[in-house]
Amino acid sequence: MAELHLKSYRFRAEREDDWRRLEKLLTKVGKGSPNALSDEELLALPVLYRQALSSLSVARATSLDQGLVDYLESLSTRAYFLVYGTRSNLAERLGGFFGRAWPQAARALWRETLASFLLTLIGVAAAYFLTLHDPDWFSAFVPDGLAGGRGPTASVEAMRATLYDKGEHHGLSVFAAFLFTHNSGVAIFAFALGFAFCLPTAMLMAYNGAMLGAFLAVFGMRGLGFEAGGWLAIHGVTEISAVILAGAAGLKIGWTLAFPGDLSRPAAMAQAGRQAATLMAGVVVMLFCAGILEGVGRQVIQNDLARYGVALATLVAWPAYLYLPRRRSAA
Amino acid sequence: MAAARKTAKVASAPLTEPSVRDDGRERSLVTPEGVDLKLRLGDAGERAAALLIDLAIMAGVMIAFALLALLALVGAKGKGWEVIGTLALLVFFVLRNLYFVLFELTPGAATPGKRAMGLRVAARNGGRLTADAIFARNAMREIELYLPLSFLASNGDQVGAWLNLLGLLWCAVFVLFPLFNRDRLRVGDLVAGTWVVKAPTRKLAPDLVETSRPSVGRFKFTMAQLDAYGVKELHVLEDVLRRYETKTIALVAARIRLKIDWKAAPDESDGDFLAAYYAALRGRLESRLLLGKRRKDKHDKG
């Protein structure tokens, strides 16, 4: 029975229990959350992981049992992903996101944000003056579905009515939910399109601005500019800022793809992508706020000045939150 | 003459097969402890299958929700439509944009579809897989998945159809992106710095030396007989024994007997012979390893 004195056989017999124990812990986590482990098990995990790793190194060098090496490779890899995986809990993550990551990403992408803002502005100005000059342009910028009866052919009274739809408070939450999901979709789309070298995102930004400009023009022509401004601004400040930030995130992606800078292209892309994604998560939060302001706030608040008041508050709050310098100690 | 041809045929049997391990999908991942874990990338087929499973689940949930909502509406005589409408929009939004994100944020870093195919997402630099990376790789599905789908779904007049075709071609660049790079990266993977790897959970297979214990004692091999093969052949032999397909076993046994000049006893089974030879060969190679000599294969004279 000389075969049973094989080194690899004894090696395995001595360590197999530890491997099995690690495997059991991994299965337990795989079924539930990391919280499924007791304190004692959590402490044992890194120790068992390192033992498995060193077993793997030894087995690769000395054992000729390929089945054993394969098993240890799979076991160590699973343990590695758990030990070095994402472990912080949800509250910590949210705190980190709102406290640091989001404002940091917004400040890091200020150039793109500026570009995105200017593109929107160009769209607004172009559409505003074109529509003012020749109202037929309106239909070129605004799809019929979105116009909802507003347009160059509608009467002043009908236009005014669309700004103050009193007593129609049914279905506000559906409306808010619709606006939120629709706008988030557009924003994520603007981000994803950035990958195609910025151009589609830039066009989307300008087009978005153009819709706004055309709307303002048709209301302005009838002397409803002030009222329409309030109707738009109460949620528009938040919403348009969000879309501009989404555009900035998209531009960042496209720009990095074209000009990766000092890093290798994949490395630069990964870095830019994560930064832009953090900003995008913030955009979704902003759009959620905008959806509530638009779906509920605007319907409940019918006074122009109150609408402007809310708009002004958001106009101050968002930039202050995102761009005001803060203490570095937390980071 | 006929017999000679037969042995020649046997001699070209599996022991010379190239190893299946290295197929260009292996990548190194060095842990902070300095051990290379040798990850394997998920291939295009597995990932496509995983995506199809996920899409099927999403569609299933959507249909189930629609049926439930319909039942609720009928039950409440149309009163709760506001709540149900809001819920429907949010459910659709969550499914479309957060289904992948939420599942990949779990410790398994895999959606049900990926899990079923034994895949998981990992950071390419070997570090932690962060939430923003997961968000980034899935936001890109907008141009890789939903945009092409919408082009496919929409049908217009002549001009619209041509525009759709152009759009579809443009999207194809993104859809087929994984097929044109070495690491099978999606656009989303590129942007997020991630890749999709195999995360197979292997069971610890019984040691072949142990399972063959009772019969081994009957076989005595000489040193010359054990020096006929190296590590590579040992691994092929291990593979053959673990699969245990009667035909292959017989072929391989015949080949080895011929090579080492072994006279089979009348009642000797092919399986027992191979198991015994495996144990003895492994013992011999291991003892040489202890002296620092690794014999790669049968051509290695070292």
Side-chain angles (χ1 to χ4, degrees), chain A residues 184 187-188 191 245-247 249-250 275-285, chain B residues 135:
Chain A
S184 302
I188 293 174
F191 168 65
L245 286 180
Q275 222 169 24
T278 305
L279 189 58
M280 280 307 298
V283 166
V284 175
V285 173
Chain B
F135 189 88

Side-chain angles (χ1 to χ4, degrees), chain A:
Chain A
M1 296 264 135
E3 294 77 26
L4 291 189
H5 296 124
L6 279 179
K7 287 264 183 205
S8 59
Y9 185 77
R10 263 187 301 161
F11 168 78
R12 171 177 169 156
E14 280 163 16
R15 289 165 183 76
E16 198 173 328
D17 287 343
D18 283 339
W19 303 337
R20 299 260 184 218
R21 209 175 140 214
L22 179 59
E23 196 181 343
K24 211 176 278 172
L25 291 189
L26 291 174
T27 316
K28 209 165 160 186
V29 175
K31 280 183 186 138
S33 65
N35 306 332
L37 299 185
S38 69
D39 286 350
E40 192 194 346
E41 286 169 329
L42 268 181
L43 285 176
L45 187 66
V47 180
L48 290 171
Y49 159 69
R50 289 200 175 92
Q51 275 173 7
L53 266 191
S54 86
S55 295
L56 173 62
S57 304
V58 174
R60 273 189 184 146
T62 65
S63 170
L64 297 170
D65 183 352
Q66 203 57 43
L68 179 69
V69 175
D70 285 348
Y71 168 77
L72 284 174
E73 264 175 13
S74 135
L75 184 71
S76 306
T77 307
R78 286 169 70 197
Y80 167 81
F81 281 129
L82 185 62
V83 171
Y84 290 100
T86 46
R87 287 277 289 285
S88 59
N89 61 25
L90 189 67
E92 256 174 71
R93 264 192 198 167
L94 285 179
F97 172 73
F98 284 105
R100 280 196 315 278
W102 180 14
Q104 258 172 20
R107 260 171 289 159
L109 268 64
W110 69 270
R111 282 188 217 88
E112 290 80 2
T113 310
L114 196 64
S116 177
F117 174 69
L118 288 178
L119 282 166
T120 307
L121 210 60
I122 290 170
V124 171
Y128 184 81
F129 289 113
L130 280 174
T131 311
L132 218 52
H133 182 72
D134 177 3
D136 286 345
W137 277 100
F138 182 81
S139 55
F141 293 126
V142 185
D144 290 340
L146 259 176
R150 293 171 278 248
T153 51
S155 71
V156 176
E157 279 320 300
M159 295 281 280
R160 185 188 292 279
T162 63
L163 299 181
Y164 310 95
D165 42 0
K166 276 208 178 81
E168 266 299 309
H169 288 184
H170 296 306
L172 285 189
S173 62
V174 183
F175 189 44
F178 168 74
L179 292 170
F180 164 63
T181 53
H182 172 78
N183 289 329
S184 302
V186 171
I188 293 174
F189 192 51
F191 168 65
L193 274 180
F195 187 79
F197 298 105
C198 299
L199 205 62
T201 300
M203 278 162 58
L204 201 63
M205 287 300 111
Y207 176 69
N208 196 51
M211 285 203 317
L212 186 64
F215 257 121
L216 284 178
V218 284
F219 281 102
M221 278 188 285
R222 292 172 172 76
L224 289 171
F226 178 75
E227 291 87 338
W231 178 83
L232 205 69
I234 182 171
H235 75 284
V237 171
T238 308
E239 184 180 296
I240 294 164
S241 313
V243 172
I244 287 175
L245 286 180
L251 292 180
K252 172 80 179 172
I253 301 272
W255 193 259
T256 312
L257 185 67
F259 306 103
D262 296 336
L263 296 169
S264 75
R265 189 165 268 122
M269 282 308 289
Q271 198 192 39
R274 287 172 193 188
Q275 222 169 24
T278 305
L279 189 58
M280 280 307 298
V283 166
V284 175
V285 173
M286 284 176 84
L287 287 172
F288 183 72
C289 298
I292 290 182
L293 279 175
E294 182 170 15
V296 180
R298 187 170 72 194
Q299 260 57 15
V300 174
I301 303 172
Q302 296 283 335
N303 181 292
D304 289 330
L305 288 177
R307 283 177 175 178
Y308 271 108
V310 175
L312 195 66
T314 56
L315 189 61
V316 173
W318 289 117
Y321 165 62
L322 290 178
Y323 297 111
L324 276 190
R326 55 198 71 199
R327 276 185 304 147
R328 290 248 155 195
S329 59

Side-chain angles (χ1 to χ4, degrees), chain A residues 8 60 66-67 80 85-86, chain B residues 36 126 128-129 235 238 282 286:
Chain A
S8 59
R60 273 189 184 146
Q66 203 57 43
Y80 167 81
T86 46
Chain B
D36 184 351
R128 280 177 197 277
L129 180 65
H235 286 163
E238 178 185 342
R282 197 171 114 191
E286 264 184 28

Side-chain angles (χ1 to χ4, degrees), chain B residues 187-222:
Chain B
V187 167
D189 285 319
L190 183 68
V191 165
T194 55
W195 53 13
V196 175
V197 297
K198 276 297 251 185
T201 51
R202 260 181 240 265
K203 288 268 162 277
L204 181 51
D207 195 323
L208 286 174
V209 173
E210 188 179 32
T211 49
S212 62
R213 202 185 321 182
S215 58
V216 167
R218 295 188 0 229
F219 297 87
K220 287 272 177 282
F221 298 100
T222 65

Side-chain angles (χ1 to χ4, degrees), chain B:
Chain B
M1 193 65 191
R5 202 170 297 147
K6 199 172 175 190
T7 46
K9 198 175 167 196
V10 169
S12 66
L15 271 200
T16 50
E17 246 177 35
S19 163
V20 284
R21 276 159 206 293
D22 189 26
D23 54 0
R25 288 201 291 129
E26 202 171 89
R27 297 287 181 278
S28 73
L29 171 91
V30 180
T31 72
E33 292 82 5
V35 179
D36 184 351
L37 285 178
K38 294 192 183 149
L39 292 178
R40 295 176 63 72
L41 297 177
D43 69 26
E46 287 166 340
R47 294 178 65 182
L51 178 65
L52 286 180
I53 295 174
D54 286 327
L55 288 179
I57 293 175
M58 287 161 78
V61 171
M62 215 104 82
I63 291 167
F65 182 84
L67 287 179
L68 270 180
L70 209 66
L71 273 180
L73 271 182
V74 171
K77 299 201 173 71
K79 257 192 225 146
W81 73 270
E82 189 172 337
V83 180
I84 290 169
T86 311
L87 268 180
L89 283 167
L90 290 179
V91 165
F92 182 71
F93 178 76
V94 165
L95 274 180
R96 173 169 172 163
N97 292 297
L98 297 180
Y99 171 89
F100 291 97
V101 173
L102 291 179
F103 276 114
E104 288 176 6
L105 277 173
T106 59
T111 56
K114 288 199 184 69
R115 204 168 292 227
M117 301 308 297
L119 300 173
R120 64 164 290 147
V121 183
R124 263 204 322 275
N125 61 9
R128 280 177 197 277
L129 180 65
T130 53
D132 47 0
I134 293 172
F135 189 88
R137 79 186 295 280
N138 287 308
M140 282 294 154
R141 279 184 208 280
E142 206 62 36
I143 57 168
E144 290 171 283
L145 179 62
Y146 300 126
L147 187 62
L149 280 183
S150 72
F151 275 125
L152 273 182
S154 66
N155 50 353
D157 49 29
Q158 205 89 64
V159 181
W162 278 110
L163 274 179
N164 275 339
L165 189 65
L166 276 179
L168 208 57
L169 281 177
W170 185 65
C171 288
V173 175
F174 304 118
V175 174
L176 301 179
F177 197 83
L179 298 178
F180 296 106
N181 66 81
R182 213 174 66 93
D183 289 341
R184 296 279 173 269
L185 302 180
R186 281 204 297 121
V187 167
D189 285 319
L190 183 68
V191 165
T194 55
W195 53 13
V196 175
V197 297
K198 276 297 251 185
T201 51
R202 260 181 240 265
K203 288 268 162 277
L204 181 51
D207 195 323
L208 286 174
V209 173
E210 188 179 32
T211 49
S212 62
R213 202 185 321 182
S215 58
V216 167
R218 295 188 0 229
F219 297 87
K220 287 272 177 282
F221 298 100
T222 65
M223 279 302 169
Q225 284 172 330
L226 293 181
D227 282 338
Y229 293 110
V231 173
K232 193 174 147 200
E233 289 78 21
L234 181 77
H235 286 163
V236 177
L237 183 54
E238 178 185 342
D239 210 39
V240 168
L241 278 170
R242 285 198 196 281
R243 285 201 204 139
Y244 217 92
E245 289 157 354
T246 327
K247 246 169 107 183
T248 329
I249 291 275
L251 269 172
V252 173
R255 165 130 169 74
I256 292 180
R257 284 194 187 110
L258 186 76
K259 170 104 178 173
I260 67 174
D261 209 10
W262 178 261
K263 301 277 177 293
D267 61 336
E268 182 181 293
S269 97
D270 291 337
D272 284 351
F273 166 74
L274 284 187
Y277 188 72
Y278 170 81
L281 179 60
R282 197 171 114 191
R284 168 77 181 139
L285 289 170
E286 264 184 28
S287 62
R288 282 173 59 111
L289 265 189
L290 287 181
L291 301 172
K293 288 180 189 153
R294 190 180 188 95
R295 189 157 188 243
K296 247 180 18 212
D297 55 30
K298 59 186 176 187
H299 307 296
D300 184 358
K301 297 289 176 237

